Structure formats: structure tokens, C-alpha cells
Amino acid sequence: MRSEPTPFEGGPMDGRVLPVLVGPTGHPPKWYEIPVPAADGGDPAILLYERVPSGYSKRLALQKGWKYDYRPGGEKPKLRWPWSRPTGR
């Protein structure tokens, strides 16, 4: 599988660049989870990062690549299928 060096911004991983595996479309995953073991041996804490565009070129406004932004206390949105019923009515 192919990997791509992807920068992380915010949180404990700020400024680091990690090789992230890309899928068949050439994009890294939308959400990246990093488990951090607890000091007392309990359940590990999960650091959650969301994939966002890293910038755009000036002339043609083409996307330059991806980066991951830290989402403190965030949760991944639930998977929604087109045939599922709408929620909250």
C-alpha cells in the first residue's frame, strides 16, 4: 500500500508529519484516531484528528494536499446511508 507524509496541526501531535496510508482513491482517511495508553492501565484516551485541505494554489485554486486538524472532545459523525430514514423529525 502507498503512504503519504501528512502534517498534523493542534493538540499533542502539533507540527509532526507522519506517513499515513492512502486508500484506492489516493486520499488519506477522513478521520485519524491515535490511541494514547493511560498511565494507570485503564482505558486508553483517543486523540481525534479530521482531514482538511492544507491550502489552495493562487492561480487556479487547485488543492495542494491534506493535513489533519485536532478535534478536542470531538466525536466522529455517525455513518449515514442514502436509504436510511432522516433523524430528528
Side-chain angles (χ1 to χ4, degrees):
M1 295 208 54
R2 203 179 75 134
S3 65
E4 179 178 299
T6 308
F8 286 77
E9 289 189 359
M13 300 290 290
D14 190 25
R16 296 189 186 184
V17 178
L18 296 177
V20 176
L21 293 176
V22 295
T25 60
H27 298 287
K30 177 77 174 157
W31 295 91
Y32 195 81
E33 296 178 352
I34 302 172
V36 178
D40 60 354
D43 290 334
I46 305 281
L47 301 177
L48 190 62
Y49 286 86
E50 182 181 11
R51 181 189 73 192
V52 294
S54 64
Y56 296 95
S57 65
K58 289 183 179 181
R59 190 166 194 170
L60 297 175
L62 298 175
Q63 185 177 327
K64 290 184 176 180
W66 300 102
K67 66 180 178 181
Y68 281 106
D69 278 344
Y70 181 60
R71 299 293 179 227
E75 294 183 11
K76 292 193 307 187
K78 292 186 178 182
L79 198 60
R80 294 202 42 196
W81 299 100
W83 54 82
S84 60
R85 294 182 184 198
T87 59
R89 284 199 173 193

